Amino acid sequence: MDLVLTVLEGHGLVVAGEKEGVVGPGSVVCVPAGTPRSVRAHTRLVALAVVSPPPTAADHVEVEAALAEQAA
């Protein structure tokens, strides 16, 4: 899924593939589908994330399993 992330408040670090950059209010980051990506907040971070195409339930299985394991 392609991702467009717009930072509304706060500051953080976005990693997209081999690139990384500090983001803050007004930053817009576009990451193509298939590119490993992560976001780390340095402060309280409010962002709008838009993905295309919309994710399906199957896209969330791995994340939900990891969260359940951490909660146990």
Short mmCIF file of all heavy atoms in Angstrom, two decimals:
data_model
loop_
_atom_site.label_atom_id
_atom_site.label_comp_id
_atom_site.label_asym_id
_atom_site.label_seq_id
_atom_site.Cartn_x
_atom_site.Cartn_y
_atom_site.Cartn_z
N MET A 1 0.82 -1.18 0.00
CA MET A 1 0.00 0.00 0.00
C MET A 1 0.87 1.25 0.00
O MET A 1 1.85 1.31 0.72
CB MET A 1 -0.87 0.02 1.26
CG MET A 1 -1.97 -1.01 1.27
SD MET A 1 -2.79 -1.06 2.86
CE MET A 1 -1.70 -2.21 3.68
N ASP A 2 0.52 2.20 -0.82
CA ASP A 2 1.18 3.51 -0.78
C ASP A 2 0.73 4.23 0.49
O ASP A 2 -0.39 4.04 0.96
CB ASP A 2 0.78 4.35 -1.98
CG ASP A 2 1.31 3.78 -3.29
OD1 ASP A 2 2.42 3.24 -3.30
OD2 ASP A 2 0.60 3.89 -4.31
N LEU A 3 1.62 5.04 1.05
CA LEU A 3 1.32 5.80 2.26
C LEU A 3 1.67 7.27 2.05
O LEU A 3 2.73 7.60 1.52
CB LEU A 3 2.15 5.27 3.44
CG LEU A 3 2.18 6.15 4.70
CD1 LEU A 3 0.84 6.07 5.43
CD2 LEU A 3 3.30 5.72 5.62
N VAL A 4 0.74 8.13 2.47
CA VAL A 4 1.02 9.57 2.56
C VAL A 4 0.77 9.95 4.02
O VAL A 4 -0.31 9.72 4.55
CB VAL A 4 0.13 10.41 1.63
CG1 VAL A 4 0.39 11.89 1.83
CG2 VAL A 4 0.36 10.01 0.18
N LEU A 5 1.79 10.49 4.67
CA LEU A 5 1.71 10.88 6.08
C LEU A 5 1.88 12.38 6.17
O LEU A 5 2.87 12.93 5.68
CB LEU A 5 2.81 10.18 6.88
CG LEU A 5 2.82 10.44 8.38
CD1 LEU A 5 1.73 9.61 9.04
CD2 LEU A 5 4.16 10.10 8.97
N THR A 6 0.90 13.07 6.78
CA THR A 6 0.98 14.51 6.99
C THR A 6 1.03 14.77 8.49
O THR A 6 0.13 14.34 9.22
CB THR A 6 -0.25 15.22 6.39
OG1 THR A 6 -0.32 14.91 5.00
CG2 THR A 6 -0.15 16.73 6.56
N VAL A 7 2.08 15.42 8.96
CA VAL A 7 2.23 15.72 10.38
C VAL A 7 1.49 17.00 10.71
O VAL A 7 1.72 18.04 10.09
CB VAL A 7 3.72 15.84 10.77
CG1 VAL A 7 3.87 16.19 12.24
CG2 VAL A 7 4.46 14.54 10.44
N LEU A 8 0.58 16.89 11.67
CA LEU A 8 -0.21 18.05 12.09
C LEU A 8 0.39 18.73 13.31
O LEU A 8 0.38 19.96 13.41
CB LEU A 8 -1.65 17.62 12.39
CG LEU A 8 -2.36 16.89 11.24
CD1 LEU A 8 -3.72 16.39 11.69
CD2 LEU A 8 -2.47 17.79 10.03
N GLU A 9 0.89 17.93 14.27
CA GLU A 9 1.50 18.45 15.49
C GLU A 9 2.65 17.53 15.91
O GLU A 9 2.62 16.34 15.67
CB GLU A 9 0.49 18.45 16.65
CG GLU A 9 -0.71 19.30 16.48
CD GLU A 9 -1.68 19.16 17.65
OE1 GLU A 9 -1.28 18.68 18.73
OE2 GLU A 9 -2.86 19.51 17.47
N GLY A 10 3.63 18.11 16.58
CA GLY A 10 4.71 17.33 17.15
C GLY A 10 5.88 17.11 16.20
O GLY A 10 5.90 17.63 15.08
N HIS A 11 6.83 16.31 16.69
CA HIS A 11 8.04 16.03 15.93
C HIS A 11 8.40 14.56 16.06
O HIS A 11 8.10 13.91 17.06
CB HIS A 11 9.21 16.89 16.44
CG HIS A 11 8.98 18.34 16.19
ND1 HIS A 11 8.30 19.14 17.09
CD2 HIS A 11 9.30 19.13 15.15
CE1 HIS A 11 8.22 20.37 16.61
NE2 HIS A 11 8.84 20.39 15.43
N GLY A 12 9.07 14.04 15.03
CA GLY A 12 9.46 12.64 15.07
C GLY A 12 10.42 12.32 13.95
O GLY A 12 10.96 13.21 13.28
N LEU A 13 10.62 11.02 13.75
CA LEU A 13 11.53 10.51 12.74
C LEU A 13 10.76 9.53 11.88
O LEU A 13 10.08 8.64 12.41
CB LEU A 13 12.71 9.80 13.40
CG LEU A 13 13.72 9.15 12.46
CD1 LEU A 13 14.54 10.22 11.75
CD2 LEU A 13 14.63 8.21 13.21
N VAL A 14 10.86 9.68 10.57
CA VAL A 14 10.24 8.74 9.64
C VAL A 14 11.36 8.03 8.90
O VAL A 14 12.30 8.65 8.41
CB VAL A 14 9.32 9.47 8.63
CG1 VAL A 14 8.82 8.52 7.56
CG2 VAL A 14 8.15 10.10 9.36
N VAL A 15 11.24 6.71 8.84
CA VAL A 15 12.18 5.89 8.07
C VAL A 15 11.40 5.27 6.93
O VAL A 15 10.34 4.67 7.14
CB VAL A 15 12.82 4.80 8.95
CG1 VAL A 15 13.75 3.93 8.12
CG2 VAL A 15 13.56 5.42 10.13
N ALA A 16 11.91 5.43 5.71
CA ALA A 16 11.30 4.85 4.52
C ALA A 16 12.39 4.22 3.69
O ALA A 16 13.19 4.91 3.06
CB ALA A 16 10.56 5.91 3.72
N GLY A 17 12.46 2.89 3.75
CA GLY A 17 13.54 2.19 3.05
C GLY A 17 14.88 2.58 3.65
O GLY A 17 15.07 2.50 4.86
N GLU A 18 15.78 3.06 2.83
CA GLU A 18 17.12 3.46 3.28
C GLU A 18 17.17 4.93 3.72
O GLU A 18 18.20 5.41 4.17
CB GLU A 18 18.14 3.22 2.17
CG GLU A 18 18.27 1.78 1.74
CD GLU A 18 18.83 0.90 2.85
OE1 GLU A 18 19.75 1.33 3.56
OE2 GLU A 18 18.32 -0.23 3.00
N LYS A 19 16.07 5.65 3.55
CA LYS A 19 16.04 7.08 3.87
C LYS A 19 15.37 7.30 5.22
O LYS A 19 14.46 6.57 5.60
CB LYS A 19 15.28 7.85 2.80
CG LYS A 19 15.90 7.76 1.43
CD LYS A 19 15.07 8.52 0.43
CE LYS A 19 15.66 8.39 -0.98
NZ LYS A 19 14.83 9.09 -1.96
N GLU A 20 15.82 8.32 5.93
CA GLU A 20 15.15 8.73 7.16
C GLU A 20 15.23 10.23 7.27
O GLU A 20 16.12 10.87 6.73
CB GLU A 20 15.75 8.05 8.39
CG GLU A 20 17.18 8.40 8.70
CD GLU A 20 17.66 7.69 9.97
OE1 GLU A 20 17.50 6.48 10.07
OE2 GLU A 20 18.18 8.41 10.85
N GLY A 21 14.24 10.81 7.97
CA GLY A 21 14.23 12.25 8.12
C GLY A 21 13.38 12.67 9.29
O GLY A 21 12.42 11.98 9.67
N VAL A 22 13.74 13.79 9.85
CA VAL A 22 12.99 14.37 10.95
C VAL A 22 11.77 15.08 10.36
O VAL A 22 11.87 15.75 9.33
CB VAL A 22 13.88 15.37 11.75
CG1 VAL A 22 13.09 16.08 12.82
CG2 VAL A 22 15.06 14.62 12.36
N VAL A 23 10.62 14.91 11.03
CA VAL A 23 9.39 15.53 10.56
C VAL A 23 8.79 16.40 11.66
O VAL A 23 9.05 16.18 12.84
CB VAL A 23 8.36 14.48 10.10
CG1 VAL A 23 8.85 13.75 8.86
CG2 VAL A 23 8.02 13.49 11.21
N GLY A 24 8.02 17.39 11.25
CA GLY A 24 7.34 18.28 12.17
C GLY A 24 6.08 18.79 11.52
O GLY A 24 5.72 18.37 10.41
N PRO A 25 5.37 19.72 12.18
CA PRO A 25 4.13 20.24 11.64
C PRO A 25 4.28 20.71 10.19
O PRO A 25 5.21 21.44 9.87
CB PRO A 25 3.80 21.40 12.57
CG PRO A 25 4.47 21.05 13.86
CD PRO A 25 5.74 20.36 13.45
N GLY A 26 3.39 20.22 9.34
CA GLY A 26 3.44 20.59 7.93
C GLY A 26 4.22 19.62 7.06
O GLY A 26 4.14 19.69 5.84
N SER A 27 4.98 18.72 7.66
CA SER A 27 5.73 17.74 6.86
C SER A 27 4.77 16.78 6.18
O SER A 27 3.78 16.34 6.78
CB SER A 27 6.67 16.93 7.75
OG SER A 27 7.67 17.73 8.32
N VAL A 28 5.08 16.45 4.93
CA VAL A 28 4.31 15.46 4.18
C VAL A 28 5.32 14.45 3.64
O VAL A 28 6.30 14.81 3.00
CB VAL A 28 3.54 16.11 3.01
CG1 VAL A 28 2.81 15.05 2.19
CG2 VAL A 28 2.56 17.16 3.52
N VAL A 29 5.05 13.18 3.94
CA VAL A 29 5.94 12.10 3.52
C VAL A 29 5.15 11.13 2.65
O VAL A 29 4.06 10.70 3.04
CB VAL A 29 6.51 11.35 4.74
CG1 VAL A 29 7.42 10.22 4.30
CG2 VAL A 29 7.24 12.30 5.67
N CYS A 30 5.68 10.80 1.48
CA CYS A 30 5.06 9.82 0.58
C CYS A 30 5.97 8.60 0.50
O CYS A 30 7.16 8.74 0.21
CB CYS A 30 4.87 10.41 -0.81
SG CYS A 30 3.85 11.89 -0.83
N VAL A 31 5.39 7.42 0.77
CA VAL A 31 6.17 6.18 0.74
C VAL A 31 5.47 5.20 -0.20
O VAL A 31 4.30 4.85 0.03
CB VAL A 31 6.30 5.56 2.15
CG1 VAL A 31 7.19 4.35 2.10
CG2 VAL A 31 6.83 6.58 3.15
N PRO A 32 6.15 4.73 -1.24
CA PRO A 32 5.53 3.80 -2.18
C PRO A 32 5.26 2.44 -1.54
O PRO A 32 5.95 2.03 -0.59
CB PRO A 32 6.55 3.66 -3.31
CG PRO A 32 7.68 4.56 -3.00
CD PRO A 32 7.50 5.11 -1.63
N ALA A 33 4.29 1.75 -2.08
CA ALA A 33 3.96 0.40 -1.63
C ALA A 33 5.20 -0.49 -1.68
O ALA A 33 6.05 -0.34 -2.56
CB ALA A 33 2.87 -0.18 -2.52
N GLY A 34 5.32 -1.38 -0.71
CA GLY A 34 6.43 -2.32 -0.67
C GLY A 34 7.68 -1.80 -0.02
O GLY A 34 8.65 -2.54 0.16
N THR A 35 7.71 -0.53 0.35
CA THR A 35 8.88 0.05 1.00
C THR A 35 8.74 -0.09 2.51
O THR A 35 7.72 0.34 3.07
CB THR A 35 9.01 1.55 0.66
OG1 THR A 35 9.06 1.70 -0.76
CG2 THR A 35 10.25 2.16 1.28
N PRO A 36 9.73 -0.68 3.20
CA PRO A 36 9.65 -0.76 4.66
C PRO A 36 9.59 0.66 5.24
O PRO A 36 10.28 1.56 4.76
CB PRO A 36 10.95 -1.45 5.07
CG PRO A 36 11.44 -2.13 3.84
CD PRO A 36 10.94 -1.31 2.68
N ARG A 37 8.75 0.85 6.26
CA ARG A 37 8.58 2.19 6.80
C ARG A 37 8.26 2.12 8.28
O ARG A 37 7.70 1.15 8.78
CB ARG A 37 7.46 2.92 6.07
CG ARG A 37 6.16 2.15 6.08
CD ARG A 37 5.23 2.69 5.04
NE ARG A 37 3.97 1.98 5.03
CZ ARG A 37 3.32 1.66 3.94
NH1 ARG A 37 3.81 1.96 2.77
NH2 ARG A 37 2.17 1.04 4.00
N SER A 38 8.63 3.20 8.98
CA SER A 38 8.31 3.29 10.40
C SER A 38 8.28 4.76 10.79
O SER A 38 8.85 5.62 10.13
CB SER A 38 9.31 2.53 11.26
OG SER A 38 10.59 3.12 11.18
N VAL A 39 7.60 5.03 11.92
CA VAL A 39 7.51 6.38 12.46
C VAL A 39 7.83 6.29 13.95
O VAL A 39 7.28 5.45 14.64
CB VAL A 39 6.09 6.98 12.28
CG1 VAL A 39 6.01 8.37 12.88
CG2 VAL A 39 5.70 6.99 10.81
N ARG A 40 8.73 7.15 14.42
CA ARG A 40 9.05 7.23 15.84
C ARG A 40 8.81 8.66 16.30
O ARG A 40 9.41 9.60 15.78
CB ARG A 40 10.50 6.84 16.09
CG ARG A 40 10.87 6.98 17.58
CD ARG A 40 12.24 6.51 17.87
NE ARG A 40 12.27 5.07 17.68
CZ ARG A 40 13.38 4.36 17.60
NH1 ARG A 40 14.55 4.96 17.67
NH2 ARG A 40 13.34 3.07 17.42
N ALA A 41 7.93 8.81 17.28
CA ALA A 41 7.61 10.13 17.80
C ALA A 41 8.68 10.58 18.78
O ALA A 41 9.09 9.82 19.65
CB ALA A 41 6.25 10.10 18.48
N HIS A 42 9.13 11.81 18.63
CA HIS A 42 10.05 12.42 19.60
C HIS A 42 9.26 13.20 20.66
O HIS A 42 9.75 13.41 21.76
CB HIS A 42 11.03 13.35 18.91
CG HIS A 42 11.99 12.63 18.01
ND1 HIS A 42 12.67 13.27 17.00
CD2 HIS A 42 12.39 11.33 17.95
CE1 HIS A 42 13.43 12.40 16.36
NE2 HIS A 42 13.28 11.23 16.92
N THR A 43 8.08 13.65 20.28
CA THR A 43 7.14 14.34 21.16
C THR A 43 5.77 13.75 20.85
O THR A 43 5.65 12.86 20.01
CB THR A 43 7.11 15.86 20.89
OG1 THR A 43 6.58 16.08 19.57
CG2 THR A 43 8.48 16.49 21.01
N ARG A 44 4.74 14.26 21.50
CA ARG A 44 3.39 13.85 21.12
C ARG A 44 3.23 14.18 19.64
O ARG A 44 3.46 15.32 19.23
CB ARG A 44 2.35 14.60 21.94
CG ARG A 44 0.94 14.26 21.58
CD ARG A 44 -0.05 14.98 22.52
NE ARG A 44 -1.41 14.66 22.18
CZ ARG A 44 -2.14 15.29 21.27
NH1 ARG A 44 -1.62 16.32 20.62
NH2 ARG A 44 -3.38 14.93 21.03
N LEU A 45 2.86 13.19 18.85
CA LEU A 45 2.81 13.36 17.39
C LEU A 45 1.39 13.09 16.90
O LEU A 45 0.82 12.04 17.19
CB LEU A 45 3.78 12.38 16.72
CG LEU A 45 3.95 12.48 15.22
CD1 LEU A 45 4.66 13.78 14.86
CD2 LEU A 45 4.75 11.30 14.69
N VAL A 46 0.82 14.07 16.21
CA VAL A 46 -0.50 13.92 15.61
C VAL A 46 -0.30 13.97 14.11
O VAL A 46 0.27 14.93 13.58
CB VAL A 46 -1.46 15.04 16.06
CG1 VAL A 46 -2.81 14.90 15.37
CG2 VAL A 46 -1.62 15.04 17.57
N ALA A 47 -0.74 12.91 13.43
CA ALA A 47 -0.52 12.84 11.98
C ALA A 47 -1.74 12.23 11.31
O ALA A 47 -2.49 11.46 11.92
CB ALA A 47 0.72 12.02 11.67
N LEU A 48 -1.92 12.56 10.05
CA LEU A 48 -2.94 11.96 9.21
C LEU A 48 -2.24 11.01 8.27
O LEU A 48 -1.34 11.41 7.53
CB LEU A 48 -3.67 13.05 8.43
CG LEU A 48 -4.68 12.57 7.39
CD1 LEU A 48 -5.85 11.85 8.09
CD2 LEU A 48 -5.18 13.74 6.58
N ALA A 49 -2.63 9.73 8.33
CA ALA A 49 -2.04 8.72 7.46
C ALA A 49 -3.10 8.25 6.47
O ALA A 49 -4.20 7.85 6.87
CB ALA A 49 -1.52 7.54 8.27
N VAL A 50 -2.77 8.32 5.19
CA VAL A 50 -3.67 7.86 4.14
C VAL A 50 -2.95 6.76 3.37
O VAL A 50 -1.80 6.93 2.95
CB VAL A 50 -4.04 9.01 3.17
CG1 VAL A 50 -4.93 8.51 2.04
CG2 VAL A 50 -4.69 10.15 3.93
N VAL A 51 -3.63 5.60 3.25
CA VAL A 51 -3.05 4.48 2.50
C VAL A 51 -3.96 4.15 1.33
O VAL A 51 -5.17 4.32 1.38
CB VAL A 51 -2.84 3.24 3.39
CG1 VAL A 51 -1.81 3.49 4.44
CG2 VAL A 51 -4.14 2.77 4.00
N SER A 52 -3.35 3.67 0.25
CA SER A 52 -4.10 3.27 -0.93
C SER A 52 -3.42 2.07 -1.56
O SER A 52 -2.20 2.06 -1.69
CB SER A 52 -4.14 4.43 -1.92
OG SER A 52 -4.89 4.06 -3.06
N PRO A 53 -4.15 1.05 -1.91
CA PRO A 53 -5.58 0.88 -1.71
C PRO A 53 -5.89 0.66 -0.23
O PRO A 53 -4.98 0.40 0.56
CB PRO A 53 -5.91 -0.37 -2.54
CG PRO A 53 -4.64 -1.15 -2.55
CD PRO A 53 -3.53 -0.12 -2.54
N PRO A 54 -7.17 0.75 0.15
CA PRO A 54 -7.53 0.56 1.56
C PRO A 54 -7.08 -0.82 2.05
O PRO A 54 -7.16 -1.80 1.32
CB PRO A 54 -9.07 0.66 1.56
CG PRO A 54 -9.40 1.40 0.31
CD PRO A 54 -8.33 1.04 -0.68
N PRO A 55 -6.60 -0.89 3.31
CA PRO A 55 -6.15 -2.19 3.83
C PRO A 55 -7.33 -3.13 4.06
O PRO A 55 -8.46 -2.69 4.30
CB PRO A 55 -5.48 -1.82 5.15
CG PRO A 55 -6.03 -0.49 5.53
CD PRO A 55 -6.41 0.19 4.25
N THR A 56 -7.05 -4.41 4.00
CA THR A 56 -8.04 -5.44 4.29
C THR A 56 -7.74 -6.02 5.66
O THR A 56 -6.68 -5.75 6.24
CB THR A 56 -7.98 -6.57 3.25
OG1 THR A 56 -6.71 -7.22 3.35
CG2 THR A 56 -8.17 -6.03 1.83
N ALA A 57 -8.62 -6.84 6.18
CA ALA A 57 -8.40 -7.50 7.47
C ALA A 57 -7.12 -8.33 7.44
O ALA A 57 -6.38 -8.39 8.42
CB ALA A 57 -9.60 -8.36 7.84
N ALA A 58 -6.82 -8.95 6.32
CA ALA A 58 -5.62 -9.78 6.20
C ALA A 58 -4.34 -8.96 6.35
O ALA A 58 -3.32 -9.47 6.80
CB ALA A 58 -5.62 -10.50 4.85
N ASP A 59 -4.41 -7.68 6.00
CA ASP A 59 -3.23 -6.81 6.12
C ASP A 59 -2.86 -6.55 7.58
O ASP A 59 -1.74 -6.14 7.87
CB ASP A 59 -3.47 -5.46 5.43
CG ASP A 59 -3.58 -5.60 3.92
OD1 ASP A 59 -2.84 -6.40 3.34
OD2 ASP A 59 -4.44 -4.91 3.34
N HIS A 60 -3.79 -6.78 8.50
CA HIS A 60 -3.57 -6.47 9.91
C HIS A 60 -3.25 -7.69 10.78
O HIS A 60 -2.96 -7.53 11.96
CB HIS A 60 -4.80 -5.75 10.48
CG HIS A 60 -5.06 -4.44 9.82
ND1 HIS A 60 -4.28 -3.33 10.04
CD2 HIS A 60 -6.00 -4.06 8.93
CE1 HIS A 60 -4.73 -2.31 9.31
NE2 HIS A 60 -5.77 -2.73 8.63
N VAL A 61 -3.28 -8.87 10.21
CA VAL A 61 -3.10 -10.10 10.99
C VAL A 61 -1.77 -10.11 11.75
O VAL A 61 -1.73 -10.38 12.95
CB VAL A 61 -3.23 -11.34 10.08
CG1 VAL A 61 -2.82 -12.61 10.81
CG2 VAL A 61 -4.65 -11.46 9.55
N GLU A 62 -0.68 -9.80 11.08
CA GLU A 62 0.65 -9.85 11.70
C GLU A 62 0.76 -8.83 12.84
O GLU A 62 1.27 -9.15 13.92
CB GLU A 62 1.72 -9.58 10.65
CG GLU A 62 3.13 -9.73 11.16
CD GLU A 62 4.17 -9.50 10.07
OE1 GLU A 62 3.90 -9.79 8.89
OE2 GLU A 62 5.26 -9.03 10.43
N VAL A 63 0.27 -7.63 12.64
CA VAL A 63 0.34 -6.59 13.67
C VAL A 63 -0.54 -6.97 14.86
O VAL A 63 -0.12 -6.84 16.02
CB VAL A 63 -0.09 -5.22 13.10
CG1 VAL A 63 -0.21 -4.18 14.20
CG2 VAL A 63 0.91 -4.76 12.05
N GLU A 64 -1.75 -7.45 14.60
CA GLU A 64 -2.65 -7.84 15.69
C GLU A 64 -2.06 -8.97 16.52
O GLU A 64 -2.17 -8.98 17.75
CB GLU A 64 -4.02 -8.24 15.14
CG GLU A 64 -4.80 -7.05 14.61
CD GLU A 64 -6.09 -7.44 13.92
OE1 GLU A 64 -6.32 -8.64 13.69
OE2 GLU A 64 -6.87 -6.53 13.59
N ALA A 65 -1.40 -9.93 15.85
CA ALA A 65 -0.77 -11.04 16.59
C ALA A 65 0.36 -10.53 17.48
O ALA A 65 0.49 -10.96 18.62
CB ALA A 65 -0.25 -12.09 15.59
N ALA A 66 1.16 -9.61 16.98
CA ALA A 66 2.27 -9.06 17.77
C ALA A 66 1.75 -8.27 18.97
O ALA A 66 2.29 -8.37 20.08
CB ALA A 66 3.16 -8.18 16.89
N LEU A 67 0.68 -7.51 18.77
CA LEU A 67 0.10 -6.76 19.89
C LEU A 67 -0.49 -7.69 20.94
O LEU A 67 -0.34 -7.45 22.13
CB LEU A 67 -0.98 -5.79 19.37
CG LEU A 67 -0.47 -4.61 18.55
CD1 LEU A 67 -1.63 -3.84 17.94
CD2 LEU A 67 0.40 -3.69 19.39
N ALA A 68 -1.13 -8.76 20.52
CA ALA A 68 -1.70 -9.73 21.45
C ALA A 68 -0.60 -10.41 22.25
O ALA A 68 -0.74 -10.65 23.45
CB ALA A 68 -2.54 -10.76 20.70
N GLU A 69 0.51 -10.71 21.59
CA GLU A 69 1.66 -11.35 22.27
C GLU A 69 2.25 -10.43 23.31
O GLU A 69 2.59 -10.85 24.41
CB GLU A 69 2.72 -11.74 21.25
CG GLU A 69 3.86 -12.52 21.83
CD GLU A 69 4.86 -12.94 20.77
OE1 GLU A 69 4.45 -13.63 19.82
OE2 GLU A 69 6.04 -12.55 20.90
N GLN A 70 2.35 -9.14 23.01
CA GLN A 70 2.90 -8.17 23.97
C GLN A 70 1.97 -8.01 25.16
O GLN A 70 2.43 -7.79 26.27
CB GLN A 70 3.10 -6.81 23.29
CG GLN A 70 4.26 -6.78 22.34
CD GLN A 70 4.41 -5.41 21.69
OE1 GLN A 70 3.62 -4.50 21.93
NE2 GLN A 70 5.41 -5.26 20.85
N ALA A 71 0.67 -8.11 24.94
CA ALA A 71 -0.30 -7.91 26.01
C ALA A 71 -0.35 -9.13 26.96
O ALA A 71 -0.77 -9.00 28.10
CB ALA A 71 -1.68 -7.67 25.43
N ALA A 72 0.07 -10.27 26.48
CA ALA A 72 0.01 -11.51 27.28
C ALA A 72 1.08 -11.56 28.33
O ALA A 72 2.04 -10.93 28.40
CB ALA A 72 0.13 -12.72 26.37
#
